[in-house]
Amino acid sequence: MTDIALDDDPPDALLPGGHRGEPGSQEPIEAIYQLHGKPLYRFLMRITFGDRREAEDLLQETLFRAWRYLQDHTADIAHLQPWLFTVARRIAIDSARARQARPTEVIVTDEGTLPAAHDDIERLLLVLAMRRDLMSLTQNHRQVLIEVFYRGRSAREAAEALGIPEGTVKSRIFYALRALAAVTDGTAAER
């Protein structure tokens, strides 16, 4: 786990002009940064599990929203801290939700090799079709296929588990696979 350095100061570049103002200077956003920047940054570092870049981005967005808020409202800058923490928390939640909603970004270094796509819907449809096709077999054929292919047993082990001769298991496997192929080919032709 990443060590979270809570005593780090937020970078000066987050403020317009790249410097910190003194409380009482002409720019109220500089005063907000001077009064509330450090505790807000430490709070955001905890929320982001020590990700400085993310904490800085969230702090900058919080300061931007405070600046926009102060354009239309008059507020006592010294008492804005609870509001700022609420805004910062909501921005962090929105940012996390946005990351979850976006598809995972993939960096391709060689144009010829793309990662294999995993299509969950296609896989689900395949499983459902296979289940439907298996259910179309007789129970005896289905049992033999489950023993051999699902449980990984040999014909002899499947015969012992099912209490039937080994030759019967081999025969049922042959006819079950043939019936499954006929059903699967018919299903593939329908698509």
Side-chain angles (χ1 to χ4, degrees), residues 41-181:
Y41 182 69
R42 285 192 298 267
F43 171 73
L44 290 168
M45 285 289 286
R46 280 192 305 265
I47 286 179
T48 61
F49 302 106
D51 186 349
R52 292 172 195 248
R53 183 197 54 79
E54 183 70 17
E56 290 169 5
D57 289 346
L58 295 174
L59 178 61
Q60 191 169 23
E61 180 65 24
T62 303
L63 293 174
F64 176 71
R65 291 199 187 170
W67 175 77
R68 279 189 11 212
Y69 177 79
L70 292 174
Q71 299 295 314
D72 300 329
H73 300 86
T74 56
D76 182 9
I77 294 172
H79 295 96
L80 274 181
Q81 190 165 358
W83 180 82
L84 288 168
F85 275 77
T86 301
V87 170
R89 183 177 56 81
R90 289 181 179 164
I91 291 170
I93 290 169
D94 290 345
S95 176
R97 286 179 180 161
R99 274 193 309 276
Q100 289 174 348
R102 281 187 296 233
T104 305
E105 295 179 10
V106 177
I107 299 173
V108 180
T109 56
D110 183 13
E111 291 182 29
T113 59
L114 290 175
H118 298 290
D119 190 359
D120 291 335
I121 294 174
E122 185 67 29
R123 184 172 176 224
L124 176 65
L125 291 174
L126 182 64
V127 167
L128 291 174
M130 195 64 179
R131 189 174 288 164
R132 183 191 66 225
D133 293 346
L134 282 172
M135 294 308 291
S136 71
L137 300 175
T138 65
Q139 183 175 356
N140 290 335
H141 287 160
R142 201 170 37 250
Q143 283 179 333
V144 169
L145 290 180
I146 289 172
E147 290 297 323
V148 172
F149 293 105
Y150 182 70
R151 293 197 174 112
R153 295 182 174 164
S154 67
R156 181 179 303 150
E157 293 169 338
E160 290 173 8
L162 294 173
I164 58 176
E166 185 179 347
T168 305
V169 169
K170 291 178 182 180
S171 174
R172 286 183 184 172
I173 290 172
F174 174 78
Y175 287 111
L177 290 175
R178 196 165 106 180
L180 192 59

Side-chain angles (χ1 to χ4, degrees), residues 2-13:
T2 310
D3 291 333
I4 301 174
L6 298 178
D7 59 319
D8 288 346
D9 290 337
D12 293 338

